[in-house]
Amino acid sequence: MSHSLPSARIPLRLPSAVATFGIGIAGYLGVNLSPYMIAAVQSALGADVLTASWIVTGALLLTAVTGLATAKLSAGPRRLLVARIGLVLAVVGFGAAALVPAPAVVVAGLLIGGIGAGGAVSSSGAAIAAFVNPDRVAGISGLANRAVVTVILALIPLLPLVPISVFGTLALFALLVLFASAWLPTAPVVEHVAVPTAAAASDAVARRPRRAETFAGFVLLVTFALWAASEDSLWAMAGVMGADQAGLTPEGLGIALSGATAGGIVGAILLMIVGNRLGRAVPLAILLVAGGLLKIAEGFVTDPTMFIVVFIAWNTVYAIAFLYFVATAAALDADGRWSGPLLAVYLVGSALTPVIGAALVEAFGYQGFVTVLGVASFVLAVPAFLVARVSSRLQRTEEPASAVTEEVAA
């Protein structure tokens, strides 16, 4: 008798880690370098800050839209094709913007590069779901991202912020990971094997509750999008808010941002160590509540030192929660059906949060602004908790399938 079994997740190895995390960093690098990109656009076009900001925002939104549009392909057998086409477009687009000084080429190149980055985001996000222990893999992914981006952010300002240094970095990094893309894990396939002694077990596993997974997946995407918008709104307004209410200097803001990056690295290391030993639902809910409290506290702090301390604490909590969201999406389905679009969804809110944050501050003032953001975290902790529980339950259904597969192989 032939029965369908979901294929097992694979262990994380160095080649597959380099490909998966490297492609993901290439997709998100434009987001991390956006302040430098704005300066480079100004240099190339002689444009004002607002015009340059809108051009960069357009590129980032194209990354988000493309990531969402290619998410389904990345969860299937065309994952590697999506990654390679995306990386090639990133190399061509950002490379043209770096090397050709014509304004039309710079703008078109950034938009094409943004589209290419979207393919990198969805394919790498989907590939994360292929590995055993999504929680630990998410932690390693976060550590790799923070470490590489921190080095790049430190090196680029050593050169003039012009197209060749900024856009050239984006193109070069995409080219490097293009050569490693062959190691990207493929999407799982359904294997049909003869199981004469374990038919009942395999049938039970094959009838995996896809309806519950689909509902939980959509809830997760909406929850994550709203949470990401609330988090990045505070990030976008932190400099202005710190200066106005706490007398934070530019040097102090630099310390806060550097400390936030360090906090993210620490958080990623902690998740790597802990893995799934604490579960997923309770830690995620606690992190969202704690993050909400810290966001509210940030709006009532008037001492610059305390402002920096609270900011770093909030960012550390945010980084760990972000990785738990990634792990939750990866655990829902091994083919990356939800982890692929998750990272693209984040970019939608990230590209618009400066506008959202400014509007909320104008409407409610700083303290009202942080209160709205804090309450949003409290509310979103409920669906996040429920979806994380579903993801853990669905992931456990894969274990009998793995056991049956091993029995058949033996």
Side-chain angles (χ1 to χ4, degrees), residues 201-240:
S202 64
D203 282 340
V205 174
R207 291 195 298 270
R208 183 178 174 177
R210 298 287 290 188
R211 188 174 301 175
E213 174 206 307
T214 300
F215 179 75
F218 281 116
V219 171
L220 178 65
L221 293 182
V222 173
T223 301
F224 185 67
L226 294 174
W227 175 79
S230 75
E231 299 293 305
D232 276 12
S233 292
L234 179 56
W235 177 272
M237 299 306 298
V240 177

Side-chain angles (χ1 to χ4, degrees), residues 24-194:
I25 293 170
Y28 261 72
L29 196 55
V31 179
N32 292 291
L33 298 185
S34 56
Y36 298 159
M37 290 177 68
I38 292 171
V41 170
Q42 287 184 275
S43 171
L45 307 183
D48 56 40
V49 175
L50 181 61
T51 301
S53 297
W54 274 113
I55 293 172
V56 173
T57 295
L60 297 181
L61 284 175
L62 283 175
T63 298
V65 171
T66 305
L68 290 172
T70 58
K72 187 174 182 180
L73 291 174
S74 293
R78 295 183 177 85
R79 175 182 299 165
L80 181 57
L81 180 63
V82 171
R84 286 178 167 170
I85 291 176
L87 291 171
V88 168
L89 287 176
V91 172
V92 171
F94 292 133
L99 299 173
V100 182
V105 175
V106 172
V107 174
L110 290 181
L111 298 181
I112 292 171
I115 292 172
V121 166
S122 68
S123 58
S124 63
I128 288 177
F131 299 110
V132 176
N133 199 331
D135 304 84
R136 181 167 287 118
V137 171
I140 297 172
S141 172
L143 178 61
N145 186 294
R146 293 271 179 159
V148 172
V149 170
T150 298
V151 172
I152 293 176
L153 287 174
L155 291 178
I156 288 183
L158 300 178
L159 302 171
L161 295 180
V162 294
I164 189 65
S165 63
V166 180
F167 308 144
T169 298
L170 293 167
L172 180 60
F173 194 88
L175 180 62
L176 291 175
V177 296
L178 177 61
F179 290 112
S181 61
W183 296 325
L184 189 71
T186 57
V189 295
V190 176
E191 300 176 353
H192 296 274
V193 295

Side-chain angles (χ1 to χ4, degrees), residues 262-287:
I265 292 175
V266 171
I269 293 173
L270 289 175
L271 186 54
M272 284 171 52
I273 296 172
V274 172
N276 58 4
R277 282 178 286 184
L278 298 179
R280 191 176 296 129
V282 173
L284 182 55
I286 291 174
L287 288 166

